[in-house]
Amino acid sequence: MRLLDELEVVVREKRLSAARAILYLAQGVFGECETESDVLRWSRYNCFLLYQTGTFAVFLELLNMEIANSQACSKALRKPALSLADSTELRVFLSVMYLLVENIRQQLPEDDTEWKTQRETFRSELAFPCNGEEPFAHLIFTMVTKFCSGHSPHFPMKKVLLLLWKVLLFTLGGFSELQSAKEQKRAEVGLPPLSEDCIQVVKNMKATAPPSYGIELGEPQKRGRRSRKDSLDLYNEKDPFKSEESTGAEEEETEDSENMMDTESDIQERDLMSQPLSALRSNMERVYFPKGLPWAPKVRYGNYCIIVSEKNVSVDL
């Protein structure tokens, strides 16, 4: 509570020192622990304790103040190169909020009833803020927009995106929560349960690449010849005993060879373009195109009504 009181002082150095001390508590007081498991255990315990004392709300106000700090934005815009010192406060605030969200979000079997209640309360506060305020995820998206537009180049985007990822997982859930929500909604309206999970089917699919057409088939060979010339040039640049006369002679030879290679590649490209479509198709016989989607379609076959010449005709499919 004394550290939270110091976060409200006017002096920036004292406020930053108190925020770093709270960050040390949220990180599990690693300087006083001997094993990694102890650090994780105390980090989780301290995060629940900090949430009980209203730490997240205080850091949310500090984060809003830093986002609206026009002086820091203008100072960052005038600098030719930014450093970590330009976003020290933001990085400390985002780190504390990230640890609170991540530790409270995780569910463990040994959690007591009080921690479970706090988890649900915290989730509702992040997803449905009261007093007409915007959701917390909307605030983080605003930071991303300001950074991409160039108005706030000092924002630490990696920490912002990590916090946004965990907030969305906490409030909306992952793929498993999505599947359970779909099954629940289908049961409420009387629909049969889903026969399969599309996400699990997609996880087992192999990655495919689009086939090459036309001139693209000749580009790798052309690149291979050019890369050999580039490697020779690199070797010649590193040779300290090379004379200027030999350099000029070899430059003429390389130019002639390059012209010859360009001519050969142009001939190959013309040959590829002049090939009939059947020959190109024979080169792509190794590409496998599936006949349909790997999961069952959601369309139910039955009697459909088709309008033909302004008359309704019933057709069985």
Side-chain angles (χ1 to χ4, degrees):
M1 296 301 297
R2 181 179 61 84
L3 292 175
L4 291 178
D5 292 337
E6 291 184 1
L7 290 176
E8 300 178 0
V9 299
V10 181
V11 183
R12 172 181 173 272
E13 289 76 12
K14 292 184 178 181
R15 191 168 61 244
L16 181 59
S17 177
R20 283 174 169 169
I22 293 178
L23 176 60
Y24 176 69
L25 294 177
Q27 289 175 342
V29 289
F30 50 85
E32 305 174 18
C33 298
E34 297 181 355
T35 60
E36 183 179 354
S37 59
D38 291 340
V39 175
L40 297 176
R41 180 172 59 89
W42 282 111
S43 175
R44 195 163 188 270
Y45 177 84
N46 291 340
C47 285
F48 276 96
L49 182 62
L50 291 171
Y51 175 71
Q52 293 176 11
T53 56
T55 304
F56 189 85
V58 176
F59 274 84
L60 181 58
E61 295 179 1
L62 295 174
L63 181 63
N64 284 318
M65 290 173 54
E66 288 296 325
I67 293 174
N69 190 357
S70 59
Q71 183 179 0
C73 296
S74 59
K75 184 179 178 181
L77 289 172
R78 290 194 301 266
K79 283 188 174 183
L82 298 175
S83 61
L84 295 178
D86 299 318
S87 59
T88 303
E89 291 86 353
L90 281 173
R91 287 186 289 108
V92 173
F93 299 159
L94 292 172
S95 298
V96 173
M97 301 174 84
Y98 174 86
L99 290 171
L100 288 174
V101 173
E102 177 62 13
N103 282 310
I104 298 177
R105 182 184 69 88
Q106 296 178 358
Q107 300 181 9
L108 297 181
E110 59 270 15
D111 292 346
D112 54 8
T113 308
E114 184 179 1
W115 281 14
K116 294 179 181 179
T117 305
Q118 292 179 7
R119 181 181 299 110
E120 296 301 325
T121 304
F122 191 31
R123 180 187 287 111
S124 61
E125 289 179 358
L126 293 177
F128 308 102
C130 57
N131 300 327
E133 298 178 354
E134 59 186 10
F136 183 60
H138 184 271
L139 176 64
I140 308 177
F141 274 117
T142 305
M143 297 183 66
V144 177
T145 305
K146 289 185 176 182
F147 176 82
C148 295
S149 61
H151 296 295
S152 302
H154 65 291
F155 283 176
M157 263 305 105
K158 183 180 292 186
K159 292 185 179 296
V160 171
L161 295 178
L162 284 174
L163 179 58
L164 177 60
W165 170 36
K166 297 301 181 179
V167 169
L168 293 179
L169 281 179
F170 189 24
T171 56
L172 302 179
F175 288 130
S176 58
E177 288 81 5
L178 175 62
Q179 182 70 13
S180 60
K182 289 165 62 176
E183 294 176 354
Q184 181 182 358
K185 295 298 181 182
R186 291 178 65 90
E188 290 177 357
V189 296
L191 294 176
L194 294 173
S195 58
E196 58 186 358
D197 188 359
C198 297
I199 302 300
Q200 298 298 327
V201 176
V202 172
K203 287 181 179 179
N204 298 326
M205 293 174 59
K206 294 182 179 179
T208 58
S212 302
Y213 293 97
I215 302 177
E216 294 181 2
L217 296 175
E219 288 183 355
Q221 300 176 358
K222 186 176 180 181
R223 292 195 190 99
R225 295 190 183 96
R226 294 288 178 85
S227 62
R228 182 182 178 184
K229 174 185 173 298
D230 295 338
S231 62
L232 291 176
D233 292 341
L234 182 62
Y235 174 77
N236 292 332
E237 290 178 359
K238 294 181 178 180
D239 190 0
F241 302 101
K242 194 172 184 59
S243 61
E244 295 180 357
E245 296 179 357
S246 60
T247 304
E250 288 188 0
E251 285 181 356
E252 294 178 357
E253 292 179 359
T254 53
E255 288 179 359
D256 296 338
S257 61
E258 182 180 0
N259 294 331
M260 293 176 61
M261 287 188 291
D262 290 340
T263 306
E264 293 177 0
S265 61
D266 294 338
I267 294 174
Q268 289 181 356
E269 291 177 1
R270 285 197 298 269
D271 293 341
L272 287 172
M273 295 298 293
S274 61
Q275 287 181 4
L277 187 60
S278 59
L280 291 176
R281 287 177 179 175
S282 62
N283 295 330
M284 297 182 295
E285 290 180 354
R286 64 181 182 277
V287 181
Y288 172 72
F289 295 97
K291 296 182 179 180
L293 296 175
W295 50 77
K298 297 180 181 179
V299 178
R300 292 178 297 177
Y301 297 99
N303 293 329
Y304 290 87
C305 185
I306 304 177
I307 300 177
V308 179
S309 300
E310 299 182 355
K311 294 182 180 180
N312 294 336
V313 181
S314 180
V315 179
D316 264 343
L317 299 179

